[in-house]
Amino acid sequence: MNFPPITRRQKPEVLAPAGNLETLKTAIDYGADAVYCGGQAFGMRTAPRNLTLEDFDEGVKYAHERGARLFVTCNILPTSSEVADMNAYMAQLGEIGVDALIVSDIGVLMAARQVAPNTEIHISTQAGVTNYQAANALAQLGASRVVLARELDLAAIRDIRANVSPELEIEAFVHGSMCMAFSGRCLISQHTTGRDANHGDCAQSCRWKYHVVEEKRPGQFIPVEITDQGTFLFNSQDMNLLAHVDDVLDAGVTSLKIEGRAKGAYYVAAMANAYKCAVNEYMVQRGYEDSDGNVLKPFDSREVLEASLAARAERALETDSIGGTDSIGGADAVDDAGAALRPQGAVSLQSALPKVEFPQWLLEEPEKVTHREYCTGFYYPEKPASENIVSGGYINTWRWLGNVVGYDATERRLRIYAKNKIAPGMEIEFLFPNHAPVVYVVPEQGLQDERGHAVAEINHPAHEFSIPCDDAIPAGSMIRARMRQN
């Protein structure tokens, strides 16, 4: 990659997912401060593309050379027959030098302290931490971080931050798929297919279409909601907190977690970059860094929370003095592109500090990856997460077309590796870290194959081509376009 250096932070941290070594490297290249991934056993995503021990060894080196960190999921609910193998596996990960093990079982936690004593222990969202008492108890047992239950609102998170040690890190999901079961503890897949969700083998049975069969009318399928289409009863929405990063950080969260270890490299690149840019905006507008990334004052989530609470108290005094009241209701606003904006009037839950202004291009990024209908999770209880009962499919309006290989400054030509068709007249975008996407219209003339021969269009995947371009787009940039163009 020819990307410029990226400022890495542990606090506040952007934590991206990876399902294989390629995606791990992509997440780091596109700005993730840390990456979490699973091995080929004992994680909550069972797939052959998960990382081997050799992959972890290479991934740790790649991350550490670039100032990033690597966390490994060991968060299944193990049976007794799995204990010995799991303990040996965690010991191997500790020897490799991964930065943290993510666990949910208390026995696994205690074993990790013994077999990987120099490795941080993070408590998985599977543990369902919903209060400061549980967080403090886990910290006393050796955890350096808790990943909160996804069912908490901002007020609950503030309560936890205010009542735990400043050293205890708090991680919270901000983007991606949500589970219809509490903290992912689900038995539907096991019941319907024999695939155990608590061993990482979820069949996502909750997203199937369901009807009811009445005992005296066998064979007559009745929709759960009386429609011609049936209903996707448990099909939860996806979470999108990009426009609310300031509220989440001001509540005392240390790490912003993006869901998606089963997602591809493009999804991870786009979302890691989006949340990294959002945090960069936060750090500058809150006065922690200048526009070049130089530290002006240290970020401390406990102090951030105290500042937010102080501002809230001051606002309450001002409101009382004029006889007004704070509003806590209100519907979400939506911009012209359909992107979710802040819930209006949720004063009691939003931060009382000045709002961080995010550029419009950034707020549009979540719409450019495959997703389900978006919501803001459970952070704002006036509009909690729900389900899409009409459709169980994905929204997919943008396509990854290829990658930039290099730039010939003399010929002013951009070399690209094609994945999908690129035709003259198409409006495409170049995506690279810490930058708004660069829009480019493919010219009618000048497309060439790898041998320099003219071609009418780029329609041969897995081959190299070149296009005329005045901008020196960095190598490694991704190329994308809206799937249907007028």
Side-chain angles (χ1 to χ4, degrees):
M1 303 295 179
N2 291 339
F3 299 145
I6 294 173
T7 300
R8 309 285 181 187
R9 310 182 187 90
Q10 291 190 20
K11 300 176 184 180
E13 173 188 88
V14 174
L15 177 57
N20 56 42
L21 186 59
E22 175 196 0
T23 307
L24 184 159
K25 293 179 178 179
T26 299
I28 294 170
D29 292 338
Y30 274 79
D33 302 303
V35 178
Y36 69 101
C37 45
Q40 297 187 336
F42 310 120
M44 289 301 292
R45 293 290 185 276
T46 58
R49 61 181 180 174
N50 282 338
L51 282 74
T52 65
L53 290 174
E54 291 75 17
D55 290 336
F56 283 127
D57 188 47
E58 183 176 344
V60 165
K61 292 182 176 66
Y62 193 88
H64 290 180
E65 287 170 356
R66 292 158 178 79
R69 300 196 295 164
L70 179 62
F71 310 151
V72 180
T73 57
C74 298
N75 57 342
I76 68 164
L77 302 180
T79 61
S80 293
S81 63
E82 295 172 305
V83 167
D85 287 341
M86 188 166 191
N87 292 351
Y89 176 66
M90 291 192 296
Q92 290 174 308
L93 292 171
E95 292 174 0
I96 287 171
V98 303
D99 295 283
L101 300 175
I102 305 172
V103 309
S104 59
D105 180 84
I106 191 170
V108 175
L109 185 161
M110 302 307 290
R113 291 183 58 185
Q114 297 177 356
V115 302
N118 298 317
T119 307
E120 291 182 18
I121 299 173
H122 297 176
I123 303 302
S124 171
T125 190
Q126 297 288 122
V129 175
T130 59
N131 62 78
Y132 64 82
Q133 180 172 259
N136 281 326
L138 291 164
Q140 291 173 5
L141 293 175
S144 62
R145 176 183 297 192
V146 292
V147 187
L148 299 180
R150 284 183 244 196
E151 295 76 21
L152 299 182
D153 62 25
L154 290 172
I157 294 173
R158 284 200 294 263
D159 285 344
I160 293 173
R161 176 76 278 171
N163 290 283
V164 300
S165 166
E167 285 72 39
L168 181 64
E169 298 177 348
I170 293 178
E171 181 181 308
F173 280 92
V174 293
H175 199 93
S177 296
M178 300 183 67
C179 181
M180 54 77 62
F182 175 78
S183 293
R185 295 290 190 97
C186 182
L187 298 176
I188 295 179
S189 176
Q190 175 79 17
H191 176 71
T192 57
T193 69
R195 291 171 53 178
D196 188 354
N198 296 308
H199 272 67
D201 201 20
C202 182
Q204 297 203 2
S205 309
C206 59
R207 300 189 186 277
W208 299 349
K209 183 184 294 186
Y210 286 93
H211 296 73
V212 172
V213 178
E214 199 271 327
E215 180 180 7
K216 295 182 179 180
R217 289 180 285 176
Q220 182 176 345
F221 298 98
I222 306 168
V224 176
E225 283 202 349
I226 307 301
T227 71
D228 294 337
Q229 302 299 320
T231 180
F232 295 86
L233 184 62
F234 309 114
N235 183 37
S236 58
Q237 297 168 313
D238 281 4
M239 185 190 299
N240 174 16
L241 264 291
L242 187 64
H244 313 276
V245 161
D246 51 351
D247 286 346
V248 178
L249 292 177
D250 289 347
V253 170
T254 311
S255 176
L256 305 178
K257 188 169 194 172
I258 302 167
E259 186 278 337
R261 279 191 288 135
K263 300 286 191 179
Y266 167 66
Y267 171 94
V268 171
M271 291 302 93
N273 180 59
Y275 279 89
K276 183 68 171 182
C277 288
V279 172
N280 289 345
E281 290 286 349
Y282 174 93
M283 295 296 280
V284 171
Q285 294 185 41
R286 283 282 189 270
Y288 294 105
E289 296 176 358
D290 63 21
S291 57
D292 294 324
N294 299 309
V295 176
L296 300 177
K297 61 181 180 180
F299 174 88
D300 183 282
S301 57
R302 188 70 170 266
E303 292 181 0
V304 170
L305 174 61
E306 290 173 354
S308 179
L309 294 175
R312 188 176 306 282
E314 183 177 346
R315 177 180 292 180
L317 289 174
E318 293 175 353
T319 301
D320 290 343
S321 68
I322 61 174
T325 58
D326 284 346
S327 170
I328 61 173
D332 275 6
V334 177
D335 67 13
D336 293 338
L341 302 177
R342 305 175 183 280
Q344 294 176 342
V347 176
S348 67
L349 290 174
Q350 290 180 349
S351 171
L353 296 172
K355 293 301 179 185
V356 173
E357 298 298 328
F358 300 109
Q360 185 61 32
W361 73 264
L362 187 57
L363 297 176
E364 293 171 358
E365 283 296 290
E367 302 297 333
K368 297 180 180 180
V369 298
T370 300
H371 63 281
R372 296 182 180 90
E373 182 180 78
Y374 279 132
C375 69
T376 53
F378 294 93
Y379 287 93
Y380 304 96
E382 70 273 11
K383 190 172 184 183
S386 185
E387 65 283 325
N388 185 345
I389 63 174
V390 177
S391 172
Y394 283 98
I395 300 169
N396 187 16
T397 57
W398 286 72
R399 176 175 292 168
W400 181 18
L401 303 180
N403 292 341
V404 173
V405 176
Y407 184 72
D408 187 330
T410 302
E411 298 292 331
R412 305 183 75 81
R413 297 190 66 83
L414 199 63
R415 292 187 296 115
I416 65 175
Y417 181 82
K419 289 181 175 290
N420 282 292
K421 178 179 177 179
I422 301 176
M426 286 181 62
E427 183 177 276
I428 64 177
E429 291 185 354
F430 297 110
L431 174 69
F432 51 94
N434 200 29
H435 199 282
V438 175
V439 179
Y440 171 87
V441 178
V442 181
E444 298 294 332
Q445 304 291 331
L447 308 185
Q448 296 180 359
D449 63 19
E450 58 190 346
R451 294 170 295 179
H453 297 160
V455 294
E457 62 182 18
I458 296 172
N459 196 17
H460 199 170
H463 282 72
E464 191 172 306
F465 294 84
S466 70
I467 58 176
C469 184
D470 291 333
D471 296 319
I473 305 298
S477 300
M478 293 186 173
I479 308 168
R480 65 187 180 191
R482 194 179 298 275
M483 290 178 65
R484 294 180 178 86
Q485 301 187 50
N486 295 328

